[in-house]
Amino acid sequence: MTDFTTARDQIVAVGRWLDGKGWAPATSGNYSVRLDDGSFAVTVSGRHKGRLTPDDAMRVDAAGESLDGKRPSAETALHLALYRAFPDVGAVLHSHSPAAVGLSRAVTGDGYTLTGHEMLKALPGIATHDASVILPIVENSQDMAVIDAGITPRLLEPGAIPAYLIRSHGLYGWGRDMAEAERVIEAIEWMIAAELAERSFR
């Protein structure tokens, strides 16, 4: 668990890190941390993630209601759905890389299989490159309840990884703490980029 001051600093830092990689263009992306009092620290709506300040993080309750008068990201509901589904999750990140969005638009179906990557070992519970996982893809919607209903049952299936793509939108990844969430996002983004690079040589 984490106090708000620590979570706020983590959110500012991760915003700059993701923006530096080109994974948070314009004001896209949103980040959150589970707090030790049962509330959640989240990014304020409409802020550029590469220029976040401590004032750009806020607290919401388990229903997504603001606890300090600020307006949370519209996608806060998707973060809270993950915290409800996985009580051990401590942080959730949402990136918008061109590679992830491009892959989600280029492939059909409700998932993409990642096989044989050394980087798979960065995901929790995977100890060898000799593995295959499915990165789920859910259709985009302006209604967060529709996305939640479409993806959460799949995330609860055996062998599910802590990440999913929203088609034409971006990547969600999460972990027990911010460091693990960062590792998941970076590993998935790297594997997506590698897959697209491989396709370019075919």
Side-chain angles (χ1 to χ4, degrees), residues 33-182:
V33 177
R34 189 194 298 268
L35 301 179
D36 52 17
D37 65 358
S39 65
F40 302 87
V42 301
T43 42
V44 174
S45 179
R47 306 296 169 87
H48 192 289
K49 304 311 181 294
R51 296 192 288 272
L52 292 177
T53 70
D55 194 51
D56 297 322
M58 61 175 293
R59 291 171 59 241
V60 298
D61 62 19
E65 296 297 321
S66 174
L67 296 175
D68 49 21
K70 300 176 184 178
R71 185 164 66 93
S73 164
E75 293 177 46
T76 297
L78 296 180
H79 291 244
L80 297 178
L82 290 167
Y83 290 121
R84 286 194 301 271
F86 304 107
D88 61 336
V89 167
V92 178
L93 300 176
H94 178 35
S95 57
H96 285 248
S97 77
V101 174
L103 181 73
S104 76
R105 293 171 61 90
V107 302
T108 58
D110 62 1
Y112 186 84
T113 301
L114 298 166
T115 301
H117 288 283
E118 182 71 13
M119 200 61 66
L120 285 169
K121 290 163 37 179
L123 302 180
I126 299 179
T128 174
H129 73 281
D130 189 17
S132 293
V133 301
I134 295 175
L135 177 62
I137 302 174
V138 64
E139 296 301 321
N140 197 12
S141 174
Q142 297 305 301
D143 186 339
M144 299 302 108
V146 171
I147 296 176
D148 179 19
I151 195 62
T152 298
R154 297 170 59 197
L155 302 178
L156 296 172
E157 294 174 356
I161 62 172
Y164 69 87
L165 279 170
I166 302 176
R167 197 180 308 279
S168 298
H169 185 150
L171 175 69
Y172 268 85
W174 54 94
R176 290 168 295 181
D177 53 26
M178 182 63 82
E180 185 170 270
E182 290 176 6

